[in-house]
């Protein structure tokens, strides 16, 4: 293992409130320091940083941020012009004639088939809170009438049909919530 080089400069240090502080390394010109290429164009830093007893030199947070390049910002997801779930279709042909079988491109079949046409999704309108309330009330009234009919029924066929109607109404009620 290589030994660490000891710093030859004596950086200023002081004690304040029983905490040892040291001045930033950028306060003294030092061309042997690895980040000197980034720091030599800056003004000399006069910032003091809290350090431990064994610290020999320190670079403040401002000077450190100037030695590191800014992060690369990515644009995020970019659509390829294909519909959602295309990779799960048994066969999908895009505009350019590329053929895909379950998301895997089949280069031999390129241009041999016409583009896949997709039906547009039905635009189902979302119910408002008031509309949901009136629909819920109507279903509950129907359920009350069907329950009354089931209690009055004498034959098994009438009871079973009433119970199946109740189940249908309960499913409709769950969809609304």
């Amino acid at each position: 293992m290589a030994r660490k080089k000891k710093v030859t400069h004596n950086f200023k240090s002081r004690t304040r409130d029983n905490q040892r502080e040291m001045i930033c390394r950028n306060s003294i010109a030092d061309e042997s320091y690895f980040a000197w290429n980034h720091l030599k164009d800056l003004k000399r830093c006069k910032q003091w940083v809290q350090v431990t007893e064994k610290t020999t030199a320190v670079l403040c947070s401002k000077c450190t941020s100037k030695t590191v390049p800014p992060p690369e910002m990515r644009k995020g997801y970019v659509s390829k012009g294909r519909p959602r779930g295309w990779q799960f279709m048994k066969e999908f042909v895009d505009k350019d004639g590329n053929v895909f079988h379950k998301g895997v491109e089949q280069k031999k079949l390129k241009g041999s088939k016409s583009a896949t046409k997709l039906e547009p999704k039905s635009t189902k309108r979302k119910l408002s809170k008031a509309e949901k309330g009136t629909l819920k009330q109507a279903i509950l009234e129907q359920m009350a009438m069907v329950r009354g009919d089931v209690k009055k029924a004498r034959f098994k066929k009438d009871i079973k049909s009433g119970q199946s109607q109740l189940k249908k109404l309960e499913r409709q009620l769950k969809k609304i919530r």
Side-chain angles (χ1 to χ4, degrees):
M1 221 202 270
R3 290 185 182 173
K4 290 184 181 179
K5 268 188 177 180
K6 290 241 179 178
V7 178
T8 56
H9 295 292
N10 293 325
F11 293 99
K12 296 179 190 174
S13 65
R14 66 181 182 196
T15 307
R16 183 184 281 181
D17 300 330
N18 294 330
Q19 291 288 324
R20 186 167 178 241
E21 292 183 333
M22 194 173 268
I23 197 161
C24 178
R25 188 171 193 157
N26 191 18
S27 64
I28 300 171
D30 181 13
E31 292 185 20
S32 65
Y33 181 53
F34 77 95
W36 184 249
N37 297 339
H38 302 288
L39 298 173
K40 65 182 171 186
D41 298 334
L42 303 174
K43 292 180 181 177
R44 295 285 154 241
C45 184
K46 303 277 192 248
Q47 191 164 348
W48 290 85
V49 182
Q50 285 186 359
V51 293
T52 61
E53 292 178 23
K54 295 181 180 180
T55 307
T56 55
V58 70
L59 191 64
C60 72
S61 58
K62 290 179 184 176
C63 296
T64 305
S65 65
K66 290 174 184 168
T67 61
V68 179
E72 293 179 23
M73 301 303 276
R74 295 181 186 161
K75 291 184 180 179
Y77 177 74
V78 179
S79 175
K80 293 182 176 112
R82 297 180 186 137
R84 292 179 81 186
W86 68 271
Q87 66 270 31
F88 303 114
M89 294 180 183
K90 285 185 179 179
E91 183 179 80
F92 176 75
V93 183
D94 66 0
K95 299 174 208 169
D96 302 330
N98 298 324
V99 181
F100 297 91
H101 287 244
K102 292 192 177 179
V104 179
E105 186 175 2
Q106 306 297 316
K107 293 184 178 181
K108 294 178 183 176
L109 300 174
K110 183 174 181 171
S112 63
K113 299 187 177 191
S114 60
T116 305
K117 292 185 181 178
L118 300 169
E119 302 105 32
K121 285 188 176 180
S122 63
T123 53
K124 195 172 182 182
R125 189 175 72 84
K126 196 171 184 180
L127 298 174
S128 69
K129 197 172 186 180
E131 290 172 330
K132 280 183 183 179
T134 56
L135 190 60
K136 187 176 175 182
Q137 189 62 36
I139 291 172
L140 289 172
E141 288 172 4
Q142 282 181 335
M143 286 175 74
M145 289 180 67
V146 172
R147 279 192 189 111
D149 293 342
V150 169
K151 283 184 181 178
K152 292 177 188 174
R154 290 183 182 179
F155 303 109
K156 260 189 177 180
K157 65 174 187 162
D158 296 334
I159 294 170
K160 285 188 178 182
S161 68
Q163 288 174 341
S164 66
Q165 277 183 325
L166 275 172
K167 286 181 183 178
K168 285 181 186 177
L169 291 170
E170 285 174 0
R171 278 187 245 129
Q172 286 179 353
L173 195 62
K174 282 184 179 179
K175 281 183 182 178
I176 294 171
R177 292 180 187 172

